Amino acid sequence: MKPQTIDASSLPYKCGIIIPNYNCASFVLDAINSAVQQSYKNKRIIVIDDCSTDNSVALIENFIKDIKDVPIIFLKNEKNIGVSATRNLGILAAADCEMVAFLDADDYYHKEKITLSAAKMCEFPGVGIVYSDYHMYDESTGITKYEYKAPFSYKALLHYCLISTNSVFKREVFSKVGYFNENFKIGEDYLMYLKVATKYMIAHIPFPLFTYRTHGKNATLNITNEYWAENDKKIKQEFTNWLKRG
């Protein structure tokens, strides 16, 4: 089933697309290009390199220098600060945007990703996050699989992270619940979803709106089950503490 066609010019929100990069020279240009090619016109792309040691910076600078029709901001961290802090810098750089979309440097968007997400937020003003199904592409085998995500349930979210990565946020949520917790190296997005869900609706689009690559170096694919379990406990404890703080 194809997504419905929407006139993106009629949607009021300006979107900041934030692409943190660390040593993703093999993939980051695909990510940037997918943001540039979005059907949604009212956008700004914010690429932030987190002190990469590969040739990412040179590739990005050469790629974006000839792009004139889409505003692109390229920021370079002076030292490696991690993905949470880098995303937070992107949120600050998108201060004049009503929406903030995140895109990992090794993934890429479907052309209608932002348009459909913005339409969902316009249809339901109480929505703070829009997430979707996605394709998972295995670089080693060339096989693509459809990854279905369940419709949102707060009860389910309290047990596991049912929201996909590369989601789209209403920017005001960060004023309500704060920025990404920089003490977490993984799972910081899950903690954010938990916080946002206490104050906003969360909407699901049952269509694959991005492709998630697996390539052997994914940060979350090389972590033991024991580490995941311990990290999950810490996230839920931090969420409980945040609720108590009010």
Side-chain angles (χ1 to χ4, degrees):
M1 183 179 70
K2 294 183 178 180
Q4 65 184 111
T5 301
I6 295 171
D7 180 8
S9 65
S10 66
L11 301 175
Y13 299 135
K14 182 175 183 178
C15 183
I17 302 173
I18 299 170
I19 307 175
N21 175 73
Y22 178 67
N23 287 346
C24 274
S26 298
F27 309 119
V28 66
L29 300 189
D30 287 343
I32 297 171
N33 189 55
S34 75
V36 171
Q37 297 301 322
Q38 287 296 292
S39 62
Y40 200 78
K41 302 303 181 185
N42 191 12
K43 60 181 179 285
R44 168 186 298 162
I45 299 169
I46 303 161
V47 183
I48 310 176
D49 184 78
D50 193 21
C51 207
S52 292
T53 57
D54 62 8
N55 63 332
S56 292
V57 169
L59 287 174
I60 293 168
E61 288 177 334
N62 186 63
F63 183 74
I64 67 176
K65 64 181 175 61
D66 295 323
I67 298 174
K68 307 299 182 185
D69 54 340
V70 178
I72 300 179
I73 298 172
F74 184 30
L75 305 175
K76 289 167 278 189
N77 294 340
E78 293 183 358
K79 62 179 181 179
N80 182 267
I81 60 176
V83 67
S84 295
T86 300
R87 284 177 179 159
N88 288 339
L89 289 176
I91 295 167
L92 293 173
D96 63 338
C97 297
E98 290 81 22
M99 294 191 311
V100 171
F102 296 99
L103 175 57
D104 292 342
D106 49 359
D107 301 334
Y108 56 91
Y109 282 163
H110 180 289
K111 188 174 182 180
E112 301 296 323
K113 163 79 172 177
I114 303 300
T115 296
L116 293 172
S117 300
K120 184 68 72 173
M121 287 186 177
C122 288
E123 184 180 2
F124 301 102
V127 166
I129 299 175
V130 179
Y131 70 103
S132 72
D133 299 347
Y134 60 96
H135 286 129
M136 179 176 283
Y137 176 71
D138 189 325
E139 283 284 325
S140 65
T141 65
I143 295 174
T144 298
K145 296 180 180 179
Y146 188 113
E147 292 290 327
Y148 169 77
K149 302 301 289 186
F152 180 72
S153 161
Y154 182 69
K155 184 177 180 179
L157 184 69
L158 291 174
H159 293 282
Y160 69 98
C161 186
L162 77 163
I163 300 175
S164 55
T165 186
N166 297 325
S167 298
V168 180
F169 290 70
K170 190 170 287 181
R171 194 191 181 283
E172 70 179 47
V173 306
F174 301 107
S175 299
K176 301 284 187 180
V177 307
Y179 296 108
F180 287 98
N181 188 316
E182 297 177 11
N183 293 321
F184 286 92
K185 302 301 181 185
I186 61 169
E188 74 290 335
D189 48 356
Y190 181 27
L191 179 57
M192 178 62 71
Y193 302 149
L194 286 166
K195 292 178 180 179
V196 174
T198 66
K199 299 182 182 295
Y200 292 86
M201 295 167 56
I202 295 180
H204 168 244
I205 297 176
F207 190 83
L209 295 183
F210 68 93
T211 293
Y212 176 93
R213 295 185 202 253
T214 61
H215 49 79
K217 295 182 180 179
N218 302 78
T220 57
L221 293 182
N222 297 302
I223 294 171
T224 64
N225 290 335
E226 292 78 9
Y227 187 94
W228 271 120
E230 184 62 28
N231 195 67
D232 187 69
K233 289 180 183 178
K234 291 178 180 179
I235 288 170
K236 288 170 180 172
Q237 184 59 56
E238 175 58 28
F239 177 57
T240 299
N241 294 341
W242 179 80
L243 289 174
K244 290 178 179 178
R245 292 194 296 268

